[in-house]
């Protein structure tokens, strides 16, 4: 099992160490809800996820539900009708204690990708904030 949690530590969770599917999503809903240009998700069996604490649930679309910490606001989980019927849910990879433990396999919703994301690799990079 892999562990993770929110920024303040109020919500902790464990998920299987093997994701059924993992992706970077560029959709408008993920961007607007997170304030980030993209989100990395791991799809895992809902019944295998252990959650300590009580996340708040926000209905972000007709069938989509996003769960987050009510104290610090960190986004954690996503579900919708399709995932529910499959017995699955999505967990934000960056909320894992070791986000390198699951690597995204594909990018989805690239039609909605922010234009400059495709050229990030061309920008100067610094290991820490430059002085």
């Amino acid at each position: 099992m892999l562990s993770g949690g929110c920024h303040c530590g109020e919500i902790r969770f464990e998920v299987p160490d093997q994701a059924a599917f993992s992706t970077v999503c560029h959709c408008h809903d993920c961007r607007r809800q997170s304030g980030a240009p993209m989100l990395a998700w791991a799809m895992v069996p809902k019944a295998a996820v252990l959650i300590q604490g009580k996340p708040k649930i926000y209905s972000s679309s007709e069938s989509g539900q996003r769960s987050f910490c009510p104290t610090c606001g960190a986004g954690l989980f996503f579900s919708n009708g399709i995932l529910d019927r499959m017995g699955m849910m999505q967990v934000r990879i960056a909320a894992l204690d070791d986000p390198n433990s699951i690597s995204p396999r594909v990018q989805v919703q690239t039609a909605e990708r922010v234009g400059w994301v495709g050229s990030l690799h061309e920008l100067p990079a610094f290991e820490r904030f430059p002085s």
Side-chain angles (χ1 to χ4, degrees), residues 20-64:
F21 190 69
S22 53
T23 181
V24 171
C25 183
H26 295 277
C27 82
H28 180 263
D29 284 344
C30 283
R31 285 198 326 270
R32 294 294 294 179
Q33 191 275 329
S34 68
M38 67 195 94
L39 287 179
W41 293 105
M43 185 187 305
V44 295
K46 193 172 194 170
V49 177
L50 305 171
I51 301 172
Q52 297 172 341
K54 187 162 175 66
K56 186 168 173 102
I57 298 173
Y58 166 70
S59 293
S60 60
S61 66
E62 188 174 306
S63 69

Side-chain angles (χ1 to χ4, degrees), residues 104-121:
R105 296 181 192 160
V106 299
Q107 296 183 61
V108 297
Q109 304 293 71
T110 58
E112 298 177 35
R113 178 172 46 202
V114 175
W116 50 260
V117 168
S119 61
L120 283 177
H121 66 283

Side-chain angles (χ1 to χ4, degrees), residues 3-110:
S3 60
C6 67
H7 187 258
C8 72
E10 183 175 325
I11 309 292
R12 296 290 303 158
F13 63 86
E14 290 185 353
V15 298
D17 61 0
Q18 297 294 316
F21 190 69
S22 53
T23 181
V24 171
C25 183
H26 295 277
C27 82
H28 180 263
D29 284 344
C30 283
R31 285 198 326 270
R32 294 294 294 179
Q33 191 275 329
S34 68
M38 67 195 94
L39 287 179
W41 293 105
M43 185 187 305
V44 295
K46 193 172 194 170
V49 177
L50 305 171
I51 301 172
Q52 297 172 341
K54 187 162 175 66
K56 186 168 173 102
I57 298 173
Y58 166 70
S59 293
S60 60
S61 66
E62 188 174 306
S63 69
Q65 295 185 323
R66 295 175 184 272
S67 300
F68 61 95
C69 175
T71 301
C72 68
L76 302 167
F77 314 114
F78 176 78
S79 188
N80 62 19
I82 295 168
L83 290 168
D84 289 342
R85 285 189 292 281
M86 295 170 52
M88 305 295 272
M89 65 186 284
Q90 291 181 328
V91 176
R92 286 193 185 181
I93 293 173
L96 294 170
D97 293 338
D98 179 8
N100 289 309
S101 59
I102 297 178
S103 295
R105 296 181 192 160
V106 299
Q107 296 183 61
V108 297
Q109 304 293 71
T110 58

